[in-house]
Amino acid sequence: MSDRAPAGQFLDAAIDLLRQVRDEEADSIAAAGTLLADTVENGGRLFAFGAGHSSLAAQDLVYRAGGLALMNLLAVPGVVGVDVMPAPLGSALERVDGLASAVLDNSPLRAGDALLIISLSGRNALPVEMALHARALGVKVIGVTSVAYASQTGSRHSSGTYLKDHCDLVLDSRIAVGDAELTHDKVPAPFAPASTVVTSALLQAVMATTATTLADRGIEPPLLRSGNVDGGHDWNAQVMERYADRIFYRH
């Protein structure tokens, strides 16, 4: 660890990762934004899923000021969020075969929809199976993962494959295996994870692309406004009424 303050080191590491994503994932971001714009234009619905801490980036897209009103959270009981008790149960459920298929078969997803699957490692049964089953249903799948895990860890799915192997598009967060940016000679483990910062920024870049792509086609993007600005609630109520058949977080 250098003499620079750890806060500065972490922020520099996060900035470097964001620059890398900006420069090296530009084409993938553009393609993902176009895919979501196509889905919206064609009457499809948008969903996002993430397990454990990956769910934070998924939740950041849903019912969000400045975000697309049509983005819905695909919830899997026991794995969305970090409020599961005991906490290791969430990690265990990610490795259960059959769970993703059961969830998808009892969800609103249908052919023509789009699903963002966020999994840092992409190695567990849940995201792999979810991508496989969603595509079998005719759903377009965008995987958000660190591709490095596929070459440095073993798959936990019976197929031996990873999330990245079953997507229409893959966005690589470029996060190093282990998700910790700092080390210290007096600290026995690496620390300071950056995956949430980078993944959330990556996904908001996709949302920005989606909104502007729709606008460039002459379609008003269904965006939400902050409820803490005058007129925000009225604006959002009108958007939600207009797109009620594609918004599921109100029911």
Side-chain angles (χ1 to χ4, degrees):
M1 196 165 183
S2 72
D3 293 334
R4 187 181 175 97
Q9 290 184 51
F10 173 75
L11 291 171
D12 284 345
I15 290 168
D16 287 344
L17 284 163
L18 289 170
R19 285 180 176 142
Q20 190 175 3
V21 166
R22 179 196 64 193
D23 296 340
E24 299 180 18
E25 292 298 304
D27 290 344
S28 296
I29 290 170
T34 299
L35 188 155
L36 295 184
D38 291 344
T39 303
V40 172
E41 183 176 6
N42 294 329
R45 294 88 58 82
L46 309 179
F47 295 84
F49 166 77
H53 284 91
S54 290
S55 72
L56 298 176
Q59 292 178 56
D60 189 50
L61 300 176
V62 179
Y63 189 54
R64 181 63 193 258
L68 291 170
L70 306 190
M71 185 61 71
N72 300 278
L73 186 68
L74 179 64
V76 177
V79 303
V80 177
V82 292
D83 57 348
V84 181
M85 294 295 288
L89 175 61
S91 297
L93 290 173
E94 290 185 62
R95 300 192 291 271
V96 173
D97 291 332
L99 179 57
S101 295
V103 168
L104 289 175
D105 289 342
N106 289 278
S107 77
L109 266 91
R110 66 188 184 193
D113 292 346
L115 172 62
L116 287 157
I117 301 177
I118 306 158
S119 173
L120 179 60
S121 73
R123 68 187 298 220
N124 288 308
L126 183 57
V128 174
E129 181 186 338
M130 184 168 289
L132 276 164
H133 197 60
R135 292 182 82 190
L137 294 173
V139 174
K140 294 292 186 181
V141 174
I142 299 173
V144 187
T145 187
S146 171
V147 172
Y149 275 83
S151 61
Q152 299 179 44
T153 67
S155 171
R156 287 174 173 158
H157 188 254
S158 58
S159 67
T161 59
Y162 300 78
L163 170 61
K164 72 175 186 64
D165 299 317
H166 306 288
C167 300
D168 295 280
L169 286 170
V170 174
L171 298 171
D172 187 357
S173 64
R174 310 282 170 159
I175 299 295
V177 173
D179 190 18
E181 294 300 319
L182 302 184
T183 59
H184 191 286
D185 57 7
K186 294 183 180 179
V187 179
F191 56 99
S195 61
T196 303
V197 173
V198 175
T199 303
S200 292
L202 176 57
L203 287 169
Q204 291 299 346
V206 172
M207 297 302 111
T209 303
T210 302
T212 54
T213 300
L214 287 169
D216 289 342
R217 296 177 182 178
I219 301 168
E220 181 180 332
L223 296 170
L224 296 172
R225 291 186 174 182
S226 172
N228 295 312
V229 299
D230 292 342
H233 287 299
D234 291 339
W235 171 279
N236 292 341
Q238 292 174 17
V239 172
M240 290 186 194
E241 181 178 358
R242 180 179 177 185
Y243 293 97
D245 60 332
R246 293 197 259 176
I247 294 174
F248 298 94
Y249 49 81
R250 295 187 64 191
H251 306 290

